[in-house]
């Protein structure tokens, strides 16, 4: 069964460093998302992406964050200058367009644990 | 903020049916009800979704009330591996999902 994959599974970085989290969405999906979950807290929406542009972003997704689909298979989240509070699990999700008035379903990857020291 | 209300936790005996309720009284006409679960800190796992009719798949059944203001997820024969946080989410195409706190289901031997 197709699934969303994410690399790395765990990333440790120093405060102020740039990190890139990578995702490979399900191959025929066209909509892509990033969510994050700080330890012990709720899963929070960061950004959605379609047709090579951001569809929607949350207040969390400030200028330090960017997303890109560099090729036909990868979807990346970049944090330019990491802060301690960026430590969290980051989940990528993808969905395909719903057909005949039916809704799409978002499928989530296993996540990348980001630890900022 | 999440548009749904769920109990914080529930217990279920292994082998018995687990019935997880969700209130979504402000649901819009075109919004679907989705259920996901999260085991430890793994990625949310899709379970089932529905609009107004009851739905069943290999994992669970979804019962939606006629007025669509609430729903129940049913795991027919809960196992220890079903211990997880279960999220009820309302949404439509390509919408961001609002995750609430979910229901922590404890399946006990």
């Amino acid at each position: 069964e197709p699934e969303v994959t994410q690399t790395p599974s765990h990333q440790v970085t120093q405060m102020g460093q740039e990190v890139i989290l990578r995702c490979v969405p399900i191959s025929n999906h066209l909509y892509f998302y990033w969510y994050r979950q700080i330890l012990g807290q709720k899963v929070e929406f960061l950004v959605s992406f379609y047709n090579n542009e951001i569809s929607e972003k949350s207040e969390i997704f400030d200028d330090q964050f960017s997303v890109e689909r560099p090729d036909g298979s990868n979807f990346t989240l970049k944090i330019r200058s990491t802060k301690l509070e960026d430590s969290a699990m980051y989940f990528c999700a993808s969905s395909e367009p719903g057909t005949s008035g039916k809704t799409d379903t978002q499928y989530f990857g296993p996540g990348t644990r980001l630890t900022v020291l | 903020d999440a548009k749904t209300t769920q109990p914080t936790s529930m217990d279920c005996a292994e082998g018995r049916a687990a019935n997880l309720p969700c209130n979504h009284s402000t649901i819009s006409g075109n919004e679907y009800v989705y259920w996901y679960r999260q085991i430890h800190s793994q990625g949310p796992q899709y379970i089932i979704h529905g609009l107004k009719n009851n739905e069943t798949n290999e994992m669970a059944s979804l019962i939606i009330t006629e007025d669509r203001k609430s729903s129940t997820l049913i795991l027919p024969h809960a196992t220890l591996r079903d211990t997880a946080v279960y999220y009820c989410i309302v949404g439509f195409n390509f919408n961001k999902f609002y995750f609430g706190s979910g229901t922590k289901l404890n399946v006990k031997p």
Side-chain angles (χ1 to χ4, degrees), chain A residues 42-43, chain B residues 2 4 6 87-89 98-102:
Chain A
K42 299 176 186 177
V43 176
Chain B
T4 62
Q6 299 178 252
Y87 298 101
C88 169
I89 300 168
Y98 288 103
F99 284 80
S101 300

Side-chain angles (χ1 to χ4, degrees), chain A residues 66-106:
Chain A
S66 63
V67 289
E68 189 179 26
R69 187 154 165 80
D71 53 43
S73 60
N74 290 283
F75 180 51
T76 62
L77 175 69
K78 181 193 292 186
I79 309 175
R80 289 190 184 81
S81 179
T82 51
K83 308 183 188 72
L84 294 176
E85 55 264 37
D86 292 328
S87 295
M89 285 290 291
Y90 287 81
F91 299 110
C92 173
S94 70
S95 65
E96 62 178 328
T99 56
S100 303
K102 294 185 178 180
T103 188
D104 65 316
T105 297
Q106 293 182 30

